[in-house]
Amino acid sequence: MRMRLEVDGLTYAYGERPAANDVSLRVGEGEFVGLIGPNGSGKSTVLKQICRALTPQRGSVRLDGEDLLAMPYRRSAQKVAAVGQEGEVPFDFTVEEMVSMGRSPYKRLLEPDTAEDRQVVRRALERLGMVHLARRSYLHLSGGERQRVLIARAIAQESGFLVLDEPTNHLDIRYQMEIFDLIRRMDVTVLAAIHDLNLAALYCDRLYALREGRVVLEGTPEEVLTPEHIYALYGVRSAVNRHPLTGRLSVVFLPGGTESTDSREEELS
Ligand code: ADP
Ligand code: MG
């Protein structure tokens, strides 16, 4: 079920200046790849093009060698599931109805859920610990609960590729870890914008860093998350060490270590 992603030269501008500029990246089968970078660096713009919420103005997206942008939407939705940043819905759906929408790429319009659909939805709710909320209104949930519903919906979609845009930013630390652990255990390929560098270091096999719409760094967490790179990207001083318990990198930010963006312009180019 896991899939391989190849993105080449992806470019998109909302206005004059491209928000994603000639972005190329690779996610190998079964890999968990993170997208980092400051606010406004283009992470969401890149991810939206990969899940077809935006149409690229230039560039290509291929899944297992097949042109994603040329596929019928139904077919690409069977392959790619997305959890976006905006969880807004126009109608008052229940949690169960929201998760059932994950089944729509497999059905005709208005075709009722089969017993199998209902089972898939049930299992997804169980995995997120949300069965007790199944009949509740999605609109009345907290931000964190909504986020878990959207993740359950993506799981119910049973696609081999997950695109996640800061999927746990409303969640407390326990749910953040649970959800990343859960996704890591799934037999899928993942590309995720992750804003917390420690979570990125814990869960990602490789990272791409964006700045002003361009990929400026790529590599393993060890290669990307150096104090020099973190400073160049975010303007914050940090200490980076390998944690003895996790064996993964741990980033500690140092107070009073910020500086305006202008004075570190040339460091990454
Ligand atoms: P990130 O997800 O890394 O914070 P975004 O992809 O959301 O970055 O934004 C990249 C740039 O595009 C920013 O400068 C942002 O202001 C701009 N942008 C994003 N969405 C829109 C939009 N719908 N209309 C106009 N500009 C946008
Ligand atoms: Mg974003």
Side-chain angles (χ1 to χ4, degrees):
M1 268 260 288
R2 317 132 84 186
M3 318 202 77
R4 153 176 64 90
L5 176 79
E6 296 157 310
V7 169
D8 282 293
L10 213 60
T11 301
Y12 188 91
Y14 299 97
E16 297 270 290
R17 211 166 52 101
N21 199 343
D22 198 22
V23 169
S24 298
L25 50 89
R26 296 282 179 273
V27 186
E29 238 187 83
E31 253 193 323
F32 194 129
V33 170
L35 210 53
I36 62 167
N39 288 333
S41 58
K43 302 181 295 297
S44 297
T45 304
V46 169
L47 295 182
K48 281 178 181 166
Q49 295 175 86
I50 295 171
C51 61
R52 305 187 77 184
L54 287 176
T55 304
Q57 289 155 351
R58 272 210 313 277
S60 67
V61 179
R62 275 169 299 156
L63 257 189
D64 285 348
E66 195 180 342
D67 183 358
L68 185 79
L69 306 173
M71 279 180 210
Y73 277 94
R74 265 169 84 80
R75 192 167 142 72
S76 60
Q78 290 172 7
K79 294 172 181 289
V80 179
V83 178
Q85 270 178 314
E86 302 95 17
E88 293 309 316
V89 289
F91 300 109
D92 194 11
F93 291 111
T94 66
V95 166
E96 198 168 29
E97 285 166 343
M98 284 294 290
V99 177
S100 297
M101 288 174 200
R103 303 304 299 159
S104 61
Y106 302 97
K107 325 170 71 73
R108 295 175 193 291
L109 189 67
L110 302 180
E111 185 187 326
D113 284 354
T114 63
E116 195 205 331
D117 291 326
R118 283 194 297 274
Q119 210 187 14
V120 170
V121 168
R122 181 87 189 176
R123 272 204 306 269
L125 285 169
E126 275 168 9
R127 291 179 89 165
L128 275 295
M130 301 204 87
V131 174
H132 64 292
L133 295 177
R135 312 252 174 239
R136 289 269 296 276
S137 154
Y138 175 80
L139 289 175
H140 295 162
L141 300 180
S142 72
E145 289 166 336
R146 284 187 190 189
Q147 226 159 5
R148 281 155 64 213
V149 172
L150 299 180
I151 291 164
R153 182 173 70 182
I155 288 174
Q157 205 170 323
E158 296 189 310
S159 54
F161 196 93
L162 279 182
V163 174
L164 310 171
D165 196 350
E166 301 188 12
T168 63
N169 63 337
H170 287 300
L171 301 178
D172 65 44
I173 190 66
R174 178 184 139 200
Y175 281 127
Q176 288 194 1
M177 307 278 295
E178 275 187 14
I179 282 171
F180 278 113
D181 284 337
L182 169 73
I183 293 169
R184 263 254 68 134
R185 284 196 310 268
M186 288 167 60
D187 189 26
V188 291
T189 307
V190 181
L191 178 62
I194 300 177
H195 143 121
D196 181 321
L197 298 183
N198 281 301
L199 283 175
L202 267 180
Y203 290 100
C204 294
D205 301 311
R206 284 188 308 115
L207 299 174
Y208 287 87
L210 288 177
R211 197 176 69 172
E212 294 176 3
R214 290 182 180 277
V215 173
V216 288
L217 294 164
E218 64 174 282
T220 61
E222 286 72 16
E223 288 163 341
V224 171
L225 297 176
T226 66
E228 294 73 26
H229 288 157
I230 291 170
Y231 186 74
L233 278 172
Y234 300 95
V236 176
R237 305 255 175 230
S238 60
V240 180
N241 291 292
R242 189 173 296 282
H243 196 281
L245 288 182
T246 60
R248 311 289 290 195
L249 292 189
S250 142
V251 181
V252 175
F253 299 103
L254 304 175
T258 61
E259 201 181 296
S260 77
T261 320
D262 301 338
S263 57
R264 54 195 164 77
E265 264 311 292
E266 60 294 5
E267 288 182 46
L268 273 181
S269 33

